[in-house]
Amino acid sequence: MRAVKTVSVEVTSPKKKKNNNNNDKKKKKQNQTEKKDNQNLLKKMTKSANSVQTENDASLKIQELEQQQQNTTQELSATDSDSDSDYQVFSEDEVSEDYESLRESEDGESESSGDEVHGSDDDVNNDNDGHEDQSDGSESHQGVEESDSSEDEVAPRNTIGDVPLEWYKDEKHIGYDISGKKITKKERQDKLASFLASVDDSKNWRKIYDEYNDEEVELTKDETKIIRRLLKGKAPHADFDPYADYVDWFKYEDSLHPLSNAPEPKRRFIPSKWESKKVLRYVRAIRKGLIKFDEPKEEEPRFYLMWGDDSSTAEKANRLSYIPAPKSKLPGHEESYNPSLEYIPTQEELNSYQLMYDEDRPKFIPKRFTSFRSIPSYENAVKESFERCMDLYLCPRVRKKRINIDPETLKPKLPSRKDLKPYPATCYLEYKGHKGAVMSISTEASGQWIASGSTDGTVRIWEVESGRCLRVWEIGEPVHCVAWNPSSELPVLAASAGQDVVLLNTGFGNEEEQKRVGELLQVETHTASDDSDNMASIVSWLQDDKLGGIRLRHFKTVTSVDWHRRGDYLSTVMPSGESRAIVMHQLSKKLSHRIPFKLHGLPVSSVFHPTRSIFFVSTKKTIRVYDLLKQKLIKKLETGLREVSSIAIHPAGDNVIVGSREGKLCWFDMDLSSKPYRILKCHPKDITNVAFHRSYPLFASCSDDGTAYVFHGMVYSDLNQNPLIVPLEILHGHTSSNGRGVMDCKFHPRQPWLFTAGADSTIKLFCH
Amino acid sequence: MEFNIETPELDEKTLRRAQVRFVTKLKAPLKVPNTSIAIPSNLTRFGLSSVVNNLLQSVNPEWKSEPFDFLINGELVRMSLEQFLLAKGISAEKVLEIEYIKAVVPQKEEEPCLHDDWVSAVDGSHPGFILAGSYDSLGRVWKAAGSCTHILEGHSGAVSSIRFLKSDGMKNVTVATSSKDQTLRLWKFDAEDLINHPKKINAFKILRGHKASVQSIAAHASGDMICSGSWDCTINLWRTNESDAEGDQVSTKKRKVNNQVDESQFEGEAVSTLVGHTQCISSVVWPQHETIYSASWDHSVRRWDVETGKDVSDIFCGKVLNCIDVGGEGSALIAAGGSDPILRIWDPRKPGTSAPVFQFSSHNSWISACKWHDNSWFHLISASYDGKVMLWDLRTAWPLAVIDSHKDKVLCADWWRSDCVISGGVDSKLCISSGLSIQ
């Protein structure tokens, strides 16, 4: 090891000399390259050294050496900083011309062989001399010739080991000999003297200063010869023949005896059991017809679409499929270096880009360049390729199953509007006369008359067919609700105004009926006091002679009035009445009752079931359904609405529609669930009222947006079939005033006509 | 015959000519020579009319020009001749026979008869006077425009229908009215007496029996029987004779006992009731001896046999019907209008179909009344809530004339003296448009 190291130092030294001329900064870099050079040199040298040995040996040696060399390079790198100073020291040595020439020949060897020959001639002579000199006693070049046993024994004089020599730079000794004594530095000749000496000394070019041992070593002739051969890339030793004849030691073709004398095994002569089994299997398969010979084999396609979409092939595989990366966008015309003029944005467009949001702004703005030369480097190249890499690397790839469905087919199959005729569509008649918003309308059972109540404090009766106003009652207070008695024998109208509910005699009917009604609408003042004190505080029955009817004075404002189908009972709702909010009045006995149910929430309206003794109470959020005979809650309908404004019962009684202040209409199928069967969001504003037609499958909603919607709402007697709801028509016509639009809508009892009462103080009749 | 027509000399190349011959069923002074002439094919009705007037003038120099209407193959020409021929696919090569008739145009708008309230019913079947019923529950008899002779007082509700029954010339005029107070009343007066102030008359007979407003009455040709349609979905038949059944007398006796107001007032009961309609019967007509037609809000037109009291046939139209009249060709066509702007005309003689043969749809709103002309097969009027009365000719789809004298809904309309159209409306006016020359 030691020896190798010294060699390396020696061999590199000539190179180092060259570096000396260069400035110090470069040195470190070159160190690296020099290490490589060292390696090569070493290999070559060791080759020459081992030339006598067999190839095997040589390769072994080389391996060994390479290991060693690795070590040295490690050492070198470890002592990089130190080696600088080493070389410094080196550089201080005299540089002989001979070395220079040697180096030159080394450089130029590849160029001309003539030089080489010339040089080698010279060396041959020197070689011999040097050899003799060396034998005298220079212990320094043991490393060069390992094979030389005599020199192997010579130990280096210095024993400091592998430490930077720098450490001893300022010392007077260079190290210690084997016995531990200091080896003092030799006196240095001054440069001039040494130069002169070197000029005189003809052997000076062969001398090398060994810093480690602080002595000059003179290369022998053999050594220089080896170096030369190495430099030429030949085997170091002249006697080594790299192209020796090949000797085939293992040739035995014509030899008498085989390599193995074993007899043939038995198995070579027995037919294979497994093969026969296999054959049997094939035979069976052929008999069964599993294997067919006639069928031409499916030829694999000789050609395949090289640039085809690999997604299709990937889909065939059953296993986790490979999802190809999304292809990046190919450049188009606008990305050209010289795009057509129409691609170039004008100044206005550029300005408009500035006003856009970042995400809307075009990513690439085309520019023109007159030539390739003037194209600058693409500024986003790194960024974009980085993002692309990030996408490929990080973005999860999912194959999206795209369903090929025509969106039209997803629409529910609704019958055409034409098939659902008749329904109200056009307004032909208007009923004008009110001075204020018409709040409520009610139709007479036969459909000849309608009654309306308005904020101008009047109740009017109109003839449907002509639009004639027949009667007017001045109530005095804004009328909130009117309700015509459903019984045709009792032409009585109930109207709520403020805290009062007024029962009016309409004056229709023949004399008998009039007589009966007249009697019915007579209240003896005493009967009121017969009620419990509790009820008297809520409602009092008073005779109103001016209007010719009964005035039911409540303790709170009444908003909703509804007649029972027989026309004897009447329910009124006072939203602010708390527990006494809903009161039921009996006309024939002039009695009032509280309903025996606890109210949850603010009541909005109450409706009687059209056929059975069932009572619906709608509060702001829910609809409660009570059985009046059993006096218990049957059902609770959860509307999910913010504020219920109106309710209507289907004439069959099992379906309920509920309108809300947020413009939503809920259809409840009470047989189905207590949740809405359908929620229709059609009105942009509050729904003020909803209505069912008595005989046609129609229902309507009216809203503050000034429109009324007409729907087809068919309820089937077959319980398995859900109701069919089809929107039919939007009825415009009312103008909104003070933010109120259509206040009420009612169907004609027998015709598919819709009456709408508007805040514009008109009532309109929409006919089919 | 060489004849020069004064037509604007247009570009000769574009001007196409048609060989025509004018024929007419009109009497002598209106006849033109029966020769074929070539006229420009771009002539309209006005152009043709001036051609005929020129022809007449050439025969009779004192001829005053008059508007004519032209019929080609039984259809009235309502566009230029060229267009008409194209539309109808008639060859212009042959000699075209054009029949001309006097144009039916109201000449004069007479002064309206002002009422106190909406005029809901008119009847012009007697040439001597006009009957009008109003929402102020009074019936009125008008001698002429602006001269009211009698006021029929007694109803407590709006008069919905008024009908002339019979008279001996101008004497002993019997009139029936129906009202929304569920009764019918019969009135008698002498139309001859001329008084400055209208004379108030009381009904001589009250017909009770309907349970709801009576909408319409129709009289038998003899005037002895009337029928009435009502909101109670029934048609009642009544006798109109003055002094008869015992039941009547009993009831009058009762009444006399009760209040003794009017000695001459009888009460009548329905002879029979026709049940079948499911909704309000808005209009009835009794054109023939034993057939009554009725239109109802249940969208049907029914024909009743008076003898049996059964409905013989019905036509469904899908809309509420407000008015019906029977007339036209063979007095068989049924015209009816209702809750839409279309006036429909059915021909019940057509087998196997209930589709209307004519549909006139120039109105904008409900049709409140329709009436055939008594003598013409082709002419009828219709009144509508859009304030217009239209005169129709079956031979064209366009109205012959639009009488736009009302400000508001027109509730009733009728012919009078076969050359006037009378109509009453919501503006409380009874308008008379006269001067219609219908042969």
Side-chain angles (χ1 to χ4, degrees):
Chain A
M1 221 176 135
R2 175 90 229 124
V4 175
K5 202 217 149 185
T6 47
V7 169
S8 76
V9 172
E10 280 168 12
V11 175
T12 51
S13 52
K15 280 219 158 178
K16 284 282 118 38
K17 296 234 172 84
K18 175 180 82 182
N19 293 336
N20 290 339
N21 302 333
N22 302 333
N23 50 13
D24 291 347
K25 276 189 185 171
K26 272 194 176 174
K27 271 179 186 166
K28 264 200 178 174
K29 255 195 184 173
Q30 283 172 349
N31 248 345
Q32 303 283 341
T33 54
E34 277 158 14
K35 270 179 221 161
K36 269 189 190 166
D37 288 352
N38 286 349
Q39 233 171 303
N40 294 335
L41 270 175
L42 261 175
K43 274 184 191 167
K44 286 170 182 174
M45 285 179 74
T46 46
K47 251 190 190 172
S48 67
N50 303 332
S51 57
V52 199
Q53 292 177 339
T54 59
E55 260 193 8
N56 266 348
D57 284 353
S59 65
L60 272 173
K61 274 284 183 215
I62 285 168
Q63 279 176 5
E64 201 179 310
L65 276 167
E66 272 173 357
Q67 274 183 351
Q68 288 169 352
Q69 188 267 336
Q70 271 178 6
N71 289 338
T72 53
T73 50
Q74 277 169 7
E75 282 163 9
L76 270 172
S77 60
T79 57
D80 249 357
S81 53
D82 309 311
S83 56
D84 264 0
S85 58
D86 278 1
Y87 304 140
Q88 287 291 340
V89 177
F90 238 109
S91 65
E92 274 161 30
D93 293 319
E94 307 94 325
V95 183
S96 69
E97 308 293 324
D98 298 31
Y99 272 102
E100 285 293 327
S101 68
L102 175 73
R103 204 164 49 85
E104 271 171 19
S105 71
E106 175 194 336
D107 290 342
E109 81 185 319
S110 54
E111 298 165 15
S112 61
S113 52
D115 275 0
E116 189 187 9
V117 173
H118 167 75
S120 61
D121 283 348
D122 280 351
D123 289 340
V124 174
N125 304 328
N126 295 338
D127 213 8
N128 293 333
D129 298 344
H131 204 58
E132 283 151 19
D133 284 348
Q134 208 178 8
S135 60
D136 279 346
S138 79
E139 305 122 4
S140 62
H141 16 135
Q142 338 86 329
V144 179
E145 294 187 63
E146 254 180 25
S147 56
D148 200 340
S149 57
S150 67
E151 290 187 353
D152 259 341
E153 289 154 16
V154 179
R157 207 162 59 105
N158 200 347
T159 58
I160 52 167
D162 196 12
V163 295
L165 297 173
E166 206 180 345
W167 295 355
Y168 293 91
K169 204 166 72 179
D170 301 332
E171 303 293 328
K172 288 203 172 144
H173 59 285
I174 57 159
Y176 309 91
D177 63 1
I178 196 147
S179 55
K181 285 176 190 164
K182 283 181 181 171
I183 303 168
T184 51
K185 276 186 188 167
K186 284 178 187 162
E187 277 294 310
R188 287 283 170 86
Q189 292 171 314
D190 62 319
K191 288 217 170 165
L192 189 62
S194 62
F195 174 72
L196 289 173
S198 67
V199 171
D200 296 338
D201 192 357
S202 62
K203 291 176 183 171
N204 188 45
W205 65 275
R206 278 195 277 169
K207 280 180 186 166
I208 292 168
Y209 175 67
D210 178 9
E211 197 187 3
Y212 187 79
N213 292 320
D214 193 24
E215 61 187 9
E216 282 203 329
V217 182
E218 197 182 311
L219 296 178
T220 61
K221 250 190 183 157
D222 282 343
E223 283 167 349
T224 52
K225 224 177 187 172
I226 285 169
I227 289 171
R228 276 175 194 280
R229 290 184 65 85
L230 282 175
L231 289 171
K232 279 180 197 166
K234 293 175 182 172
H237 207 277
D239 298 342
F240 176 72
D241 178 15
Y243 307 111
D245 288 336
Y246 174 71
V247 183
D248 191 359
W249 300 106
F250 303 103
K251 185 184 73 177
Y252 59 90
E253 266 101 42
D254 338 323
S255 50
L256 188 66
H257 300 287
L259 287 178
S260 164
N261 210 15
E264 281 283 288
K266 187 187 174 186
R267 64 173 177 274
R268 301 263 164 93
F269 306 100
I270 302 173
S272 163
K273 181 184 168 188
W274 308 109
E275 275 179 7
S276 63
K277 278 192 170 181
K278 209 170 188 179
V279 168
L280 261 179
R281 215 162 47 227
Y282 278 131
V283 168
R284 280 193 199 118
I286 291 165
R287 277 184 192 154
K288 279 184 185 170
L290 297 177
I291 298 175
K292 282 172 188 163
F293 298 100
D294 306 340
E295 275 186 4
K297 272 184 191 170
E298 272 183 34
E299 269 188 31
E300 282 198 4
R302 280 173 66 201
F303 310 104
Y304 63 94
L305 200 57
M306 196 174 180
W307 305 108
D309 197 5
D310 13 30
S311 59
S312 58
T313 54
E315 270 171 5
K316 280 179 198 159
N318 228 353
R319 63 203 129 73
L320 234 156
S321 57
Y322 163 72
I323 304 174
K327 294 194 169 74
S328 54
K329 189 188 160 258
L330 293 171
H333 289 295
E334 55 177 9
E335 274 94 352
S336 158
Y337 81 98
N338 192 5
S340 308
L341 265 176
E342 63 260 27
Y343 290 107
I344 311 283
T346 58
Q347 191 56 45
E348 293 94 69
E349 282 175 324
L350 284 174
N351 292 341
S352 70
Y353 291 163
Q354 292 301 312
L355 298 172
M356 285 181 186
Y357 288 110
D358 268 343
E359 51 263 29
D360 299 337
R361 205 174 290 160
K363 299 280 178 295
F364 179 81
I365 295 169
K367 277 183 197 159
R368 276 179 91 100
F369 299 103
T370 49
S371 65
F372 268 143
R373 259 178 310 153
S374 53
I375 304 170
S377 64
Y378 181 47
E379 50 192 351
N380 288 332
V382 175
K383 192 179 160 219
E384 278 181 4
S385 52
F386 174 73
E387 279 174 355
R388 170 76 179 162
C389 288
M390 292 292 275
D391 284 351
L392 293 179
Y393 165 48
L394 287 176
C395 286
R397 283 181 223 152
V398 180
R399 177 165 288 127
K400 277 185 183 154
K401 282 264 158 58
R402 199 171 286 153
I403 313 168
N404 231 345
I405 290 182
D406 183 17
E408 286 295 314
T409 61
L410 291 177
K411 279 192 193 167
K413 290 265 179 305
L414 290 181
S416 144
R417 288 201 306 168
K418 280 179 193 163
D419 304 338
L420 302 176
K421 278 181 177 176
Y423 56 84
T426 17
C427 174
Y428 287 123
L429 275 176
E430 283 189 25
Y431 304 87
K432 286 181 181 166
H434 276 297
K435 306 263 178 337
V438 185
M439 296 301 286
S440 174
I441 44 178
S442 179
T443 54
E444 192 242 351
S446 67
Q448 195 182 359
W449 320 100
I450 57 165
S452 65
S454 159
T455 52
D456 61 3
T458 58
V459 171
R460 284 169 191 257
I461 289 182
W462 310 82
E463 191 181 34
V464 168
E465 57 172 327
S466 62
R468 163 97 179 179
C469 177
L470 280 182
R471 285 199 74 164
V472 183
W473 286 279
E474 294 279 349
I475 305 292
E477 274 180 281
V479 179
H480 210 278
C481 186
V482 288
W484 206 297
N485 194 319
S487 163
S488 53
E489 286 101 50
L490 276 177
V492 172
L493 191 66
S496 79
Q499 298 189 358
D500 295 347
V501 171
V502 193
L503 302 177
L504 301 165
N505 182 4
T506 56
F508 295 122
N510 49 27
E511 285 167 9
E512 272 178 49
E513 282 166 7
Q514 276 302 311
K515 204 176 160 194
R516 202 165 63 230
V517 169
E519 283 167 8
L520 202 61
L521 295 180
Q522 288 292 327
V523 188
E524 294 167 37
T525 42
H526 298 291
T527 51
S529 59
D530 289 348
D531 295 333
S532 62
D533 302 335
N534 188 5
M535 277 320 293
S537 66
I538 304 172
V539 183
S540 49
W541 292 68
L542 303 168
Q543 184 72 39
D544 194 322
D545 292 325
K546 196 185 98 199
L547 296 169
I550 300 175
R551 198 176 268 269
L552 294 166
R553 182 145 288 164
H554 292 65
F555 77 109
K556 285 276 161 45
T557 309
V558 180
T559 57
S560 165
V561 177
D562 190 52
W563 286 94
H564 184 253
R565 65 180 186 281
R566 295 225 178 84
D568 195 20
Y569 288 93
L570 172 77
S571 78
T572 54
V573 177
M574 296 167 277
S576 50
E578 289 165 355
S579 66
R580 296 168 296 179
I582 298 178
V583 183
M584 226 173 271
H585 311 280
Q586 192 178 3
L587 188 59
S588 56
K589 292 184 181 164
K590 316 279 185 299
L591 281 176
S592 299
H593 318 273
R594 257 179 353 158
I595 57 157
F597 314 113
K598 191 168 178 261
L599 294 170
H600 304 264
L602 213 58
V604 176
S605 64
S606 63
V607 193
F608 285 98
H609 191 280
T611 52
R612 287 151 64 198
S613 58
I614 288 173
F615 191 55
F616 296 80
V617 175
S618 75
T619 55
K620 296 250 167 189
K621 304 263 180 201
T622 58
I623 314 290
R624 277 156 202 277
V625 187
Y626 299 100
D627 191 327
L628 288 173
L629 291 180
K630 294 177 187 161
Q631 301 217 336
K632 68 172 189 186
L633 180 74
I634 302 173
K635 209 160 215 161
K636 197 174 133 192
L637 305 177
E638 297 287 346
T639 60
L641 301 171
R642 221 175 296 140
E643 196 182 337
V644 172
S645 63
S646 49
I647 176 172
I649 318 290
H650 189 267
D654 282 335
N655 294 275
V656 177
I657 48 172
V658 172
S660 81
R661 291 247 180 269
E662 66 221 87
K664 277 184 190 163
L665 183 77
C666 290
W667 176 294
F668 287 95
D669 190 339
M670 292 209 295
D671 290 336
L672 209 64
S673 129
S674 62
K675 294 263 158 45
Y677 162 64
R678 285 273 186 281
I679 298 178
L680 309 171
K681 174 90 182 83
C682 40
H683 287 287
K685 283 188 178 173
D686 300 5
I687 288 179
T688 48
N689 225 321
V690 288
F692 264 115
H693 199 284
R694 242 170 54 177
S695 48
Y696 287 89
L698 292 172
F699 67 98
S701 66
C702 58
S703 156
D704 274 342
D705 57 9
T707 62
Y709 281 62
V710 180
F711 302 90
H712 176 85
M714 177 60 109
V715 176
Y716 299 96
S717 51
D718 179 12
L719 286 176
N720 291 326
Q721 207 165 358
N722 284 332
L724 172 72
I725 300 171
V726 185
L728 289 177
E729 191 75 42
I730 304 173
L731 305 176
H732 298 275
H734 283 288
T735 52
S736 63
S737 65
N738 301 330
R740 309 306 308 265
V742 185
M743 303 308 296
D744 196 2
C745 63
K746 285 279 182 329
F747 278 103
H748 190 277
R750 289 179 178 179
Q751 303 292 342
W753 296 348
L754 185 74
F755 296 98
T756 54
D760 54 356
S761 74
T762 60
I763 302 164
K764 283 178 194 278
L765 170 60
F766 291 90
C767 301
H768 65 288
Chain B
M1 172 178 164
E2 289 293 322
F3 194 78
N4 236 348
I5 306 151
E6 288 172 11
T7 45
E9 283 304 318
L10 293 172
D11 194 357
E12 285 294 324
K13 286 165 197 168
T14 58
L15 209 63
R16 293 172 57 186
R17 286 174 178 274
Q19 285 287 324
V20 297
R21 184 191 296 134
F22 288 103
V23 293
T24 186
K25 288 170 187 156
L26 296 171
K27 294 281 148 36
L30 293 167
K31 273 213 157 72
V32 294
N34 193 11
T35 46
S36 72
I37 53 167
I39 55 164
S41 61
N42 61 351
L43 282 185
T44 56
R45 187 166 67 116
F46 177 75
L48 289 170
S49 194
S50 58
V51 169
V52 170
N53 277 315
N54 276 329
L55 286 170
L56 288 170
Q57 224 161 21
S58 69
V59 176
N60 176 13
E62 283 138 45
W63 175 255
K64 275 168 92 184
S65 49
E66 203 179 289
F68 289 101
D69 234 331
F70 299 89
L71 284 159
I72 299 175
N73 291 353
E75 276 198 69
L76 285 171
V77 179
R78 276 292 173 275
M79 37 189 135
S80 78
L81 201 57
E82 197 172 14
Q83 281 175 316
F84 186 87
L85 295 180
L86 261 177
K88 301 293 169 194
I90 302 167
S91 162
E93 304 295 319
K94 287 188 280 182
V95 176
L96 202 63
E97 242 177 43
I98 301 181
E99 186 187 347
Y100 62 93
I101 51 173
K102 276 190 179 175
V104 180
V105 182
Q107 306 280 343
K108 205 172 115 195
E109 194 70 34
E110 284 179 34
E111 206 176 307
C113 311
L114 296 175
H115 287 68
D116 298 337
D117 211 334
W118 297 9
V119 180
S120 54
V122 288
D123 184 26
S125 36
H126 194 280
F129 48 84
I130 301 166
L131 302 169
S134 165
Y135 263 82
D136 58 4
S137 73
L138 299 177
R140 286 182 178 83
V141 182
W142 298 84
K143 195 89 185 168
S147 69
C148 177
T149 56
H150 297 81
I151 290 178
L152 314 178
E153 200 178 55
H155 277 300
S156 60
V159 177
S160 58
S161 184
I162 187 161
R163 279 287 173 276
F164 164 78
L165 297 182
K166 57 187 173 186
S167 70
D168 312 331
M170 289 294 273
K171 280 186 178 173
N172 279 334
V173 180
T174 316
V175 167
T177 57
S178 70
S179 163
K180 306 222 186 241
D181 64 2
Q182 307 183 354
T183 62
L184 291 92
R185 278 165 208 247
L186 301 177
W187 321 76
K188 228 171 213 179
F189 58 89
D190 283 340
E192 271 185 337
D193 24 320
L194 287 166
I195 318 151
N196 288 345
H197 297 291
K199 188 181 173 190
K200 289 194 175 173
I201 301 167
N202 285 322
F204 74 91
K205 196 167 185 180
I206 302 174
L207 306 174
R208 290 176 206 271
H210 280 298
K211 295 186 190 69
S213 309
V214 186
Q215 283 295 97
S216 170
I217 45 178
H220 186 257
S222 66
D224 292 336
M225 291 276 280
I226 55 170
C227 65
S228 62
S230 158
W231 264 94
D232 61 8
C233 315
T234 59
I235 299 169
N236 281 359
L237 298 177
W238 319 81
R239 257 182 236 290
T240 59
N241 36 0
E242 212 164 319
S243 52
D244 342 310
E246 291 175 14
D248 290 0
Q249 283 169 343
V250 171
S251 69
T252 41
K253 274 177 193 166
K254 266 185 196 168
R255 228 180 139 68
K256 276 175 189 168
V257 172
N258 279 344
N259 37 24
Q260 296 187 343
V261 176
D262 196 350
E263 284 175 43
S264 67
Q265 205 163 37
F266 298 95
E267 290 208 1
E269 277 179 2
V271 176
S272 71
T273 305
L274 309 178
V275 184
H277 278 295
T278 55
Q279 288 192 44
C280 152
I281 292 151
S282 51
S283 186
V284 284
V285 279
W286 198 340
Q288 286 149 23
H289 181 61
E290 64 267 320
T291 318
I292 294 173
Y293 292 89
S294 66
S296 162
W297 278 35
D298 64 6
H299 309 173
S300 68
V301 172
R302 290 182 198 227
R303 187 156 65 119
W304 305 87
D305 188 70
V306 180
E307 300 283 314
T308 57
K310 300 241 169 68
D311 62 325
V312 180
S313 69
D314 35 6
I315 302 166
F316 282 91
C317 101
K319 303 275 175 178
V320 162
L321 293 171
N322 282 331
C323 55
I324 186 171
D325 198 18
V326 176
E329 186 188 348
S331 293
L333 299 182
I334 303 170
S339 70
D340 65 341
I342 300 170
L343 177 69
R344 294 179 176 84
I345 292 161
W346 289 273
D347 190 346
R349 297 167 301 184
K350 241 185 187 179
T353 174
S354 64
V357 287
F358 293 104
Q359 295 200 32
F360 298 120
S361 51
S362 289
H363 281 297
N364 289 328
S365 190
W366 283 21
I367 290 169
S368 51
C370 60
K371 213 82 186 173
W372 287 96
H373 191 268
D374 282 340
N375 305 324
S376 166
W377 279 8
F378 305 111
H379 293 91
L380 75 160
I381 49 166
S382 68
S384 165
Y385 282 180
D386 60 4
K388 286 169 188 159
V389 178
M390 288 189 186
L391 174 61
W392 301 94
D393 191 313
L394 290 191
R395 296 168 290 190
T396 180
W398 286 271
L400 285 185
V402 178
I403 300 161
D404 206 358
S405 49
H406 285 284
K407 298 275 182 310
D408 208 336
K409 292 172 214 156
V410 186
L411 297 176
C412 51
D414 200 358
W415 295 95
W416 188 43
R417 291 173 181 163
S418 79
D419 68 337
C420 295
V421 172
I422 49 175
S423 61
V426 168
D427 53 1
S428 310
K429 282 193 285 193
L430 176 70
C431 291
I432 304 167
S433 307
S434 59
L436 293 160
S437 54
I438 294 170
Q439 312 85 32

